[in-house]
Amino acid sequence: MIRCDDVTKTFRKNGAEVVSLDRFTAEIAEGEFVAVRGPSGSGKTTLLLTLGGMQRPSAGAVQFGGRDLYGLPSAERARLRSGEIGFVFQMFHLVPYLDLLGNVLLAAPGRPSDAERERAAGLLDELGLAKRASHRPGELSAGERQRLAVARALLNRPKLILADEPTGNLDPENAAEVIRHLAAFHRDGGTVVLVTHGTAADEHAGRIVRLEQGRLVAD
Amino acid sequence: MTIWAHILREVGFRKLNALFSLLGLTLAVTIVAASQLLAEADERETRRVTRDMGFNLRLIPSKTDLGQFYRDGFSRHAMEATTLDRLATQLTNNVSFNHLVGSLRRDYTINGQDILLAGLSKTFVAPGQGKKPMGFQIKEGTIHIGSEIARSQELKKGDAMHVGVRSFTVANDPIETGTPDDITIFARLDDAQSILGLSGKINEIEAIDCLCLTADEDPLAILRKEIGGILPEVQVVHQRTLADARAKQRQTREKVNAVVLPSVLVAGAVWVALLAVLNVRDRRQEIGILRALGKGGGRIAGLFLGKAVLLGFVAAALGVALGTWVVLEFGPSLFPVTKKAIQASSTLAWQLLVATPVFAAFASFIPAMLAVSHDPAETLRED
């Protein structure tokens, strides 16, 4: 599904060049649940954003479904992100002035259809948020916010979910709940790439990848 | 969700930012609307006041002895009335004179009282300027009389008065002016020509010069050159004091407009742009997630430009209402002579309702482009 060939990403920080991802090469097959581990600054988030078409690598190539992801025009890449990839972030990144339903429907590619509204309501129900559909994210607990972010990621029935430390701000109970939902998505045939420090996802992840200083050190 | 629904919810959420933008724009529109309405009122007042001051350009037969002219207030020589028609045909935007009135003035005795009789032609105005003729129009069969004549002859408005062999109706309420007008009867030109036995004659063309204190050239030299080329048989007398007063008033207004309007527009644009930049900074994470969800630059720019358009429209409505109220409330005390003509302008309202949203969108353009070009990966990786 995704293939990375010698993907390198460098940044300039305080005048010095920092290598965030160093000749990363790997392939992720459709239906895999991959946990990406590594210390802070090891390039995990960079890898996730690069896989999601959000950050062009300095060198190397990323193939998504056989297409050169960064060879696509940006509008085409945006369409691909919208239709086939779902993101879940540690900081939730919810829109504070939209209610829960509005936040989930934000993922709809255009003006939400009745079917999309129905699916959004169904997802909120599935994730235990139906009663709070008209609330705003600021009124939710951290666990509820992350479940909302998961619902948003699932709206368009993506093939891939990229989750960046989704349990980093959650207590163990809520963390397990979020992982359960990602595992359910995986069971239904979806692909998950999960960046994590913890071990909560170990029982679901079929593959664990370890990064250090931007390099793949274990797979 | 439509983009407008999205914008409205954001405005409702970040009330303070929207409120400050709205205040800045409303203030700018209020000042623009009020200054435009006041400028129009000022123009009317100036026109009226200068009209009351009289014409400042007098064209008299070239043979006239200026000593006699200044002593008597009119020329004892006459010229053909067609002279006026010849000059009137040259009235364009390219000449430095306007509002031409032909007149025939002579001393006259009526019921033993020595007076002046003045016949006035209709006023010729340069075409296409939308200017109303200065001076008053005398209706058929009527005359306007000075206060001293009214007092001596015991006449008032509506009374009949015999001048020569004809009877006229007094059309004005005679008011003392402290000028020779108090002992003047104003009649239509053809009536005065008939009474004085000077058919087809005038002895003066009155006009207003359109030169506004040219610093490097003598206005009289310009006028003499222009008019002398058309009418070699006249000499030009320029009443400099009146001309300067008129020009100074117009220049003051133009200077105020030249400073106030651009300042307000620049200040308004900077204010809106700064608030839009703050809004973009506040919404960096939102922009990042919208990008991650596959929203394009058009949608993101639309959120910011649409907000500017929405606030601009509301500000225009509020500003026009406020500016108009200010002028209607305080205008009459500033422009007492023409206070009845001060009114709201629907044309100005429509112009501002269209222009303000466009202006606000322009002011927000750079912040919107900042939002579009913002690297979403940068904010999405922030903890």
Side-chain angles (χ1 to χ4, degrees):
Chain A
M1 182 180 206
I2 309 176
R3 184 186 163 86
C4 297
D5 289 309
D6 283 331
V7 173
T8 300
K9 181 67 186 176
T10 55
F11 297 100
R12 289 204 74 79
K13 199 171 182 182
N14 300 329
E17 192 166 86
V18 177
V19 180
S20 183
L21 211 51
D22 191 2
R23 288 166 289 161
F24 179 87
T25 299
E27 191 167 353
I28 297 166
E30 195 159 346
E32 272 196 291
F33 191 129
V34 182
V36 181
R37 292 232 189 106
S40 292
S42 61
K44 303 186 298 294
T45 299
T46 303
L47 173 65
L48 208 74
L49 293 171
T50 307
L51 295 179
M54 295 286 291
Q55 188 165 259
R56 182 179 292 279
S58 311
V62 180
Q63 294 218 335
F64 188 99
R67 287 178 289 179
D68 177 7
L69 188 57
Y70 290 96
L72 296 173
S74 62
E76 183 63 30
R77 205 161 56 242
R79 261 197 296 279
L80 187 141
R81 264 202 310 274
S82 168
E84 300 190 29
I85 304 173
F87 284 93
V88 182
F89 297 95
Q90 181 180 359
M91 297 305 293
F92 324 124
H93 292 314
L94 300 166
V95 177
Y97 52 86
L98 297 181
D99 60 20
L100 271 57
L101 198 62
N103 265 283
V104 177
L105 287 171
L106 205 56
R111 197 175 178 167
S113 63
D114 288 346
E116 283 167 328
R117 286 179 183 282
E118 217 169 280
R119 175 159 171 77
L123 284 167
L124 288 178
D125 191 28
E126 225 173 274
L127 288 150
L129 298 167
K131 285 183 183 165
R132 315 202 66 178
S134 60
H135 287 227
R136 285 179 175 172
E139 298 167 289
L140 303 183
S141 69
E144 287 170 325
R145 287 185 210 186
Q146 197 57 295
R147 277 185 275 145
L148 175 60
V150 171
R152 184 180 63 193
L154 292 172
L155 181 77
N156 294 333
R157 302 179 199 280
K159 290 180 180 165
L160 169 68
I161 284 189
L162 298 170
D164 187 8
E165 307 261 17
T167 57
N169 279 332
L170 306 183
D171 57 53
E173 196 179 320
N174 275 306
E177 171 84 11
V178 168
I179 294 294
R180 260 201 308 279
H181 288 293
L182 294 177
F185 168 74
H186 172 240
R187 268 198 309 279
D188 292 342
T191 309
V192 177
V193 178
L194 172 74
V195 165
T196 179
H197 272 112
T199 55
D202 283 4
E203 61 174 296
H204 303 287
R207 184 176 166 193
I208 296 175
V209 165
R210 186 167 177 82
L211 287 179
E212 275 178 23
Q213 293 181 323
R215 299 186 113 173
L216 178 64
V217 293
D219 188 354
Chain B
M1 180 179 298
T2 65
I3 195 162
W4 291 110
H6 198 148
I7 289 167
L8 281 172
R9 290 191 191 178
E10 196 274 333
V11 166
F13 183 73
R14 293 191 179 89
K15 291 185 186 75
L16 217 54
N17 182 284
L19 186 68
F20 280 128
S21 294
L22 197 61
L23 279 178
L25 280 168
T26 303
L27 186 64
V29 176
T30 302
I31 293 171
V32 170
S35 67
Q36 286 305 301
L37 290 173
L38 287 173
E40 282 172 23
D42 188 30
E43 168 85 31
R44 269 194 305 272
E45 189 89 347
T46 303
R47 192 183 291 275
R48 177 67 182 271
V49 168
T50 51
R51 187 193 80 180
D52 293 350
M53 287 162 87
F55 296 93
N56 62 37
L57 196 58
R58 303 179 75 179
L59 315 181
I60 52 176
S62 57
K63 291 180 203 161
T64 304
D65 169 33
L66 285 178
Q68 174 273 315
F69 174 72
Y70 289 127
R71 194 175 57 244
D72 296 338
F74 60 89
S75 170
R76 296 239 167 243
H77 293 273
M79 52 191 173
E80 297 300 322
T82 52
T83 314
L84 172 65
D85 300 328
R86 276 164 53 209
L87 192 60
T89 60
Q90 302 298 314
L91 275 175
T92 64
N93 292 332
N94 299 323
V95 293
S96 307
F97 50 88
N98 204 350
H99 299 278
L100 304 180
V101 176
S103 66
L104 179 64
R105 287 168 198 265
R106 280 285 193 272
D107 37 11
Y108 192 76
T109 304
I110 190 161
N111 299 331
Q113 185 182 15
D114 291 330
I115 61 154
L116 290 170
L117 177 61
L120 303 177
S121 75
K122 70 168 189 169
T123 307
F124 293 86
V125 182
Q129 295 184 345
K131 290 191 173 176
K132 290 179 184 164
M134 281 181 52
F136 51 87
Q137 302 295 310
I138 301 170
K139 289 183 182 162
E140 180 94 44
T142 68
I143 52 173
H144 290 234
I145 63 172
S147 62
E148 187 56 23
I149 297 171
R151 192 188 63 76
S152 299
Q153 313 276 335
E154 296 180 343
L155 292 168
K156 60 183 186 306
K157 184 178 180 180
D159 287 350
M161 182 181 191
H162 286 275
V163 186
V165 294
R166 285 190 60 190
S167 176
F168 297 90
T169 304
V170 175
N172 66 313
D173 274 321
I175 296 167
E176 189 173 333
T177 63
T179 69
D181 287 357
D182 290 345
I183 54 146
T184 303
I185 293 175
F186 293 95
R188 291 166 68 95
L189 179 61
D190 49 355
D191 289 337
Q193 287 169 334
S194 163
I195 293 163
L196 295 168
L198 288 167
S199 186
K201 299 286 184 186
I202 56 175
N203 62 356
E204 186 170 333
I205 298 170
E206 294 166 295
I208 291 279
D209 81 85
C210 307
L211 297 166
C212 293
L213 290 182
T214 45
D216 51 347
E217 280 186 276
D218 175 16
L220 186 53
I222 298 170
L223 288 163
R224 281 183 172 152
K225 191 177 168 192
E226 272 184 18
I227 294 169
I230 305 164
L231 303 177
E233 67 269 42
V234 303
Q235 59 177 310
V236 179
V237 176
H238 192 220
Q239 292 184 297
R240 191 63 186 263
T241 316
L242 288 181
D244 286 0
R246 180 180 157 81
K248 273 179 186 161
Q249 182 154 3
R250 176 167 289 184
Q251 283 179 344
T252 303
R253 189 181 65 237
E254 285 170 357
K255 276 181 194 164
V256 168
N257 280 346
V259 171
V260 170
L261 285 184
S263 306
V264 168
L265 291 178
V266 168
V270 169
W271 179 252
V272 170
L274 283 176
L275 288 165
V277 167
L278 288 178
N279 194 232
V280 169
R281 281 180 60 87
D282 273 355
R283 297 171 71 183
R284 283 165 69 223
Q285 291 202 341
E286 182 189 335
I287 295 164
I289 195 63
L290 287 172
R291 286 294 207 189
L293 293 172
K295 307 298 178 197
R299 168 85 183 200
I300 290 166
L303 287 175
F304 290 92
L305 294 179
K307 180 179 178 180
V309 167
L310 178 74
L311 294 177
F313 187 77
V314 176
L318 292 174
V320 166
L322 200 59
T324 303
W325 176 80
V326 166
V327 172
L328 293 178
E329 187 69 18
F330 301 106
S333 59
L334 294 170
F335 305 107
V337 179
T338 54
K339 62 184 175 188
K340 285 182 183 167
I342 297 173
Q343 55 190 0
S345 163
S346 60
T347 308
L348 180 67
W350 282 115
Q351 285 170 344
L352 287 171
L353 281 171
V354 172
T356 311
V358 174
F359 170 78
F362 267 111
S364 300
F365 183 76
I366 291 175
M369 290 305 108
L370 283 178
V372 169
S373 60
H374 186 70
D375 180 5
E378 219 172 274
T379 45
L380 292 176
R381 65 169 61 247
E382 283 170 4
D383 293 338

